[in-house]
Structures are given as structure tokens and as C-alpha cells.
Amino acid sequence: QAPEIAQQLAFLAKRDEAQSWAARTLGRPYGLIGLGRAARALDRFLEKAAPSRLPVLLTGEFGTETTAVAAMIHGLGPQRSGPFVQILAADPTGDPAAWLDRAAGGTLFIREVEALSPGFQSQLLHHMPSRLGQGSGYDRPPVRLIAATSVNLKDAARDGRFSRSLLSELDFLATTLPPLRERPEDLPALIGAALAQHGYGADTRITPDLLALCRAYAWPENGFELERVMARLAVMGDGGPIQRRDVQHHAPWLLPADPAPADAAAP
């Protein structure tokens, strides 16, 4: 019991360190929220992965905390004083050589890496620091690569939709981020953080009704949807606790579907 508590306190200290770095450097306090089993598993992954310089592959559904985890890896890592460069693969600016130049001495984080065009996949493989001898040489200061995806890249590579060679360079350290529906125990903390992000106090807004509805909802867009919905409910409500009627008026899709009448269900 005591060693487990000590470890959790150490994890929380690391979270605070990473959030402070992100707030100062990136303008948003990216970090992990909650103490459930899934969040603790991510803490353990970060403890091992952050001090390394190996590439990291993050897999998670749309709206999961891939950006927060990538920022924490960089902010707790050996190159935290270097740049943290984010690239959206679906709509990138510049080319892979330019990305690596910008990220020299720091981290290159490629979001939605599965959307990278075949040409850019080849260019990235050509210019990136190869750990498997596939590149053409590398004369920049060290760059750590972190890639995030919402698909199974091994399936994509097998089907010819993603470079097998590039995947082999990215898939050194890897983890899958859990969707919100698998983290019911973390919902109070996540809701509180979403409200606080927009300047609202959790103590005066969260109610048992709200928690029950949130726990019963599947959250298909995960954290993105949660933050958006909480901001809407806080703004559109009457300034007091968020009740079921507020959800009914401003976010009715959170309410469970009414069961069909017994006679309607009969064949």
C-alpha cells in the first residue's frame, strides 16, 4: 500500500511538472487527468518512455489525449529545451525535411500520421534519423519523433496504405490511449478540468444528475466532445449547478433514448 501511494505521488509530481512546462511553452496546460486504472497505466508508460530518445507511436480514437501525451513525453524528456513542432499530416505546411529542420534539437510530433501522403512518407523516411539503417544519413541536431494515429497502422501497412518501412522506424515505443467510455471513474476529474479550462468552477457546477448522464453516454468524440459539451452547458445554463433540464435543453443527445412501448415492441 505505502509503495503504491508513493509511486502515485511521484506520478502526480511528474504530471504537475509537465503541465507547468506545457502552460509556459505551449500556452495550454496539457496533462493527464484522473487516477483510474487507464490513467495510471499511461503514467507508467510516460515514466519509461519520456527519458528515452526513441520514437513513440501513440494510437487512440479521435479526441483522445494524444497531443497531451506527446507534449508530456517532450516536456519530461531530455530534449525539453528544444522545440516541440506539431504537424497535422492531413494538411501539412512545408515538407518533411523542413519539419525536421524546425524540430532540430527537440521533438517532431506528427498528428494523424496515417493521412501522410505516400510521397511525404517516403521523404520522411529518407530525411529522418534512421535507427534501422534505412535513411540516407542525418546531419541535423537530434530530433525525436512522436506520431499519433487513430487507425491500426500494421493493418494499413499490410494493405499497402502506409509505408511498412516508415512504420518500422516509428514503432519503437508504443501505447494505445483508452477511449472515454472506458474511463468512467475519471469522469468527475475530466469534467472538472473541462469546466476549469473555460473558467468555470467544478464545485458549483457538477451535479449527480450530470455525472450519471455522462457515465451512461458513449462519448464518440472522447475528450474533444466532453470539453465542448461542458463549455456549452456552463455558458448556456443559468449560472448554477448543471441539472438534467440543462442537458435536455442544450445537449439532449446525452440523454438515454426512451424505451419503446411494450406493445410497439411486439412483432
Side-chain angles (χ1 to χ4, degrees):
Q1 186 77 19
E4 184 177 346
I5 292 173
Q7 184 184 53
Q8 189 59 63
L9 290 174
F11 287 156
L12 291 174
K14 286 294 184 183
R15 289 189 193 184
D16 184 68
E17 179 185 347
Q19 285 180 314
S20 297
W21 171 86
R24 291 192 311 270
T25 309
L26 305 178
R28 181 179 173 119
Y30 287 113
L32 293 181
I33 305 296
L35 298 175
R37 182 173 58 182
R40 294 198 304 271
L42 284 175
D43 279 322
R44 290 190 289 272
F45 176 78
L46 286 164
E47 180 185 34
K48 300 292 187 181
S52 172
R53 297 179 187 271
L54 291 172
V56 178
L57 180 60
L58 304 173
T59 302
E61 294 179 7
F62 178 81
T64 52
E65 303 119 304
T66 51
T67 299
V69 172
M72 292 181 73
I73 290 171
H74 175 77
L76 295 172
Q79 297 178 190
R80 63 182 297 174
S81 60
F84 180 73
V85 176
Q86 295 190 60
I87 297 296
L88 179 60
D91 187 23
T93 300
D95 57 36
W99 308 340
L100 290 162
D101 285 338
R102 288 171 53 201
T107 297
L108 175 61
F109 173 44
I110 305 177
R111 296 160 47 204
E112 299 178 17
V113 70
E114 72 276 7
L116 207 60
S117 70
F120 272 16
Q121 291 180 39
S122 297
Q123 289 182 47
L124 180 59
L125 183 64
H126 177 77
H127 290 287
M128 69 186 286
S130 172
R131 295 180 179 274
L132 302 175
Q134 298 188 91
S136 62
Y138 190 75
D139 57 4
R140 301 174 182 85
V143 174
R144 184 175 197 177
L145 268 77
I146 303 176
T149 180
S150 60
V151 305
N152 186 320
L153 286 185
K154 291 182 180 179
D155 288 347
R158 184 172 56 249
D159 297 342
R161 294 177 286 113
F162 194 81
S163 166
R164 187 175 181 181
S165 296
L166 179 56
L167 176 58
S168 70
E169 294 282 1
L170 297 175
D171 194 17
F172 273 83
L173 305 178
T175 192
T176 299
L177 279 66
L180 210 55
R181 63 184 175 275
E182 295 178 5
R183 301 177 59 189
E185 68 273 33
D186 288 335
L187 273 172
L190 290 164
I191 292 169
L195 289 167
Q197 178 65 29
H198 295 276
Y200 298 98
D203 292 344
T204 60
R205 299 301 178 104
I206 298 178
T207 63
D209 273 354
L210 178 64
L211 286 176
L213 290 171
C214 287
R215 285 190 171 114
Y217 182 62
W219 298 106
E221 296 182 24
N222 294 291
F224 288 174
E225 185 178 9
L226 180 72
E227 183 169 334
R228 192 171 66 241
V229 168
M230 290 306 118
R232 177 184 300 195
L233 291 172
V235 169
M236 300 304 295
D238 59 9
I242 300 172
Q243 306 288 355
R244 186 183 181 93
R245 63 177 179 273
D246 299 307
V247 176
Q248 186 171 14
H249 290 155
H250 306 298
W253 58 91
L254 267 62
L255 298 174
D258 292 330
D263 55 351

